[in-house]
Amino acid sequence: MIKASGSKNPLPPELLKQLRRIEIRTQRLANEQLSGTYSSVFKGQGLSFREVRAYLPGDDVRWIDWNVSARMSEPFVKVFVEEREMTVMLVVDASQSEQFGTRRASKARVAAEIAALCSFSAIKNNDRVGLVLATEAIEKLVPPKKGDKHVMRVIREILGHEPKYTGTNLKLALETLVKVAKRRSVAFVISDFFASGFERSLSLASAKHDVIPVMLVDPRDEELPDVGLATFEDFETGEEVVVDTGDRAVRDHYRAAMRKVRSDRDKLFKKLALDAVVVKTGESFVSPLRDLFAKRARRLRR
């Protein structure tokens, strides 16, 4: 469990409560919901040599070690084991738009829950977890490590971090992922993807890593409520605009524009053959991930 004492920066009581709730819930979910599927759909770095042993009928002749066989005057084969250990990188959008949420929780809170679930699933399988926390700059880098305490540090950084900047630069976040993650990793990119200019960086990152975009969506992202004249503020720029939400044409235009943004993102992910996940702030964050793992498992069995 998390301790508030012994830290240079003690956790505020409300943040501590949130962290404990997330810890308890996501640990249980990782054990009960994703226990079997995680290890089956995310593979390690391949095979590593363990030993040689005497050849047995049925062994693949391609693995005969001819040097040892010549010395021992009988055939020996190389034995390999799967190098299961992986690195899971969490690339989390910490821009001001992530503070938005009109249902169960803000996008930032949902991002922390998703990160916790992915992290505990990774730790349960002895994998390492790292973090890239980004706005328009790189706010925090947490090198990959193992252990429950490390997972809670990662969640604390996501949930309790106070960003220096408000904007979004997914291009920089993805470029940083490529630079800091030297080995092929599973990278969960958690964002509402209200950004532009990151398409090439996403393509380059997905060529090196197993990238999984996790798109955070709030109902108000796609639909304007009819509340008459209303003032809307851009979380990232602070710009305000007065909108007549009572005008059906205005609402229809907004809906069409936001659906195009969503459609463009879906097309990009499909073009790059990425397994994207949509998580809505008012719904379960577990089901979309469980469905993703199940889809991957089915694909591997074919």
Side-chain angles (χ1 to χ4, degrees):
M1 296 295 287
I2 316 155
K3 295 182 180 179
S5 60
S7 171
K8 294 180 180 179
N9 299 301
L11 293 175
E14 181 53 35
L15 178 58
L16 183 62
K17 289 180 183 178
Q18 289 187 55
L19 282 167
R20 282 179 171 153
R21 283 196 294 266
I22 290 175
E23 176 191 22
I24 293 169
R25 186 182 184 196
T26 52
Q27 269 193 321
R28 176 175 56 80
L29 289 170
N31 290 332
E32 296 176 1
Q33 302 282 340
L34 304 181
S35 178
T37 53
Y38 173 92
S39 59
S40 64
V41 298
F42 296 118
K43 299 299 183 181
Q45 297 297 313
L47 300 175
S48 60
F49 172 75
R50 186 176 70 183
E51 62 183 0
V52 294
R53 62 164 172 77
Y55 176 86
L56 296 174
D59 283 342
D60 193 327
V61 295
R62 291 177 298 175
W63 303 126
I64 292 177
D65 188 320
W66 295 107
N67 291 328
V68 174
S69 299
R71 290 199 304 270
M72 302 301 292
S73 300
E74 61 176 302
F76 275 73
V77 293
K78 297 177 182 178
V79 177
F80 296 87
V81 294
E82 182 185 5
E83 189 179 342
R84 179 62 190 79
E85 182 181 305
M86 290 192 317
T87 296
V88 172
M89 292 297 299
L90 303 169
V91 181
V92 180
D93 179 358
S95 63
Q96 197 62 33
S97 67
E98 303 306 309
Q99 299 303 318
F100 182 67
T102 62
R103 292 297 187 265
R104 180 182 65 84
S106 68
K107 294 176 184 176
R109 168 65 185 263
V110 176
E113 293 172 334
I114 294 168
L117 185 59
C118 294
S119 297
F120 279 121
S121 297
I123 294 302
K124 180 178 173 59
N125 285 273
N126 202 38
D127 293 334
R128 303 184 304 160
V129 178
L131 171 67
V132 178
L133 194 63
T135 54
E136 59 200 74
I138 301 302
E139 298 270 346
K140 199 78 178 180
L141 276 176
V142 179
K145 290 183 181 179
K146 300 180 182 181
D148 288 353
K149 288 184 178 179
H150 178 70
V151 169
M152 294 317 301
R153 182 202 167 183
V154 167
I155 301 167
R156 174 182 174 176
E157 293 289 0
I158 297 170
L159 196 62
H161 182 72
E162 296 182 3
K164 295 179 181 178
Y165 302 95
T166 59
T168 309
N169 189 340
L170 284 179
K171 177 177 180 290
L172 176 62
L174 292 164
E175 289 173 348
T176 302
L177 166 68
V178 172
K179 289 179 182 176
V180 301
K182 302 301 183 184
R183 303 174 68 188
R184 180 171 174 81
S185 306
V186 175
F188 292 91
V189 182
I190 308 172
S191 172
D192 54 19
F193 288 91
F194 289 156
S196 60
F198 66 87
E199 291 81 2
R200 176 169 168 74
S201 297
L202 180 61
S203 176
L204 292 173
S206 63
K208 180 178 179 182
H209 301 293
D210 183 359
V211 175
I212 300 174
V214 182
M215 186 183 296
L216 305 176
V217 176
D218 187 86
R220 290 292 176 261
D221 288 340
E222 300 180 327
E223 297 281 346
L224 277 182
D226 182 357
V227 293
L229 288 176
T231 301
F232 290 84
E233 178 184 350
D234 187 313
F235 281 109
E236 299 189 5
T237 66
E239 182 181 351
E240 293 184 351
V241 60
V242 177
V243 177
D244 181 7
T245 63
D247 187 333
R248 178 181 291 274
V250 170
R251 297 199 305 274
D252 289 346
H253 176 75
Y254 178 84
R255 184 187 305 112
M258 296 309 293
R259 285 182 177 175
K260 185 179 185 308
V261 171
R262 175 85 169 268
S263 175
D264 288 346
R265 294 291 170 262
D266 290 342
K267 289 177 181 176
L268 173 64
F269 299 150
K270 187 175 182 179
K271 177 183 177 182
L272 298 177
L274 303 181
D275 289 323
V277 180
V278 174
V279 179
K280 299 182 179 180
T281 56
E283 299 178 10
S284 167
F285 64 92
V286 182
S287 298
L289 290 170
R290 187 177 58 224
D291 292 345
L292 163 72
F293 292 178
K295 182 175 76 172
R296 284 193 157 206
R298 288 194 300 271
R299 196 160 64 214
L300 287 171
R301 287 196 295 268
R302 289 174 186 170

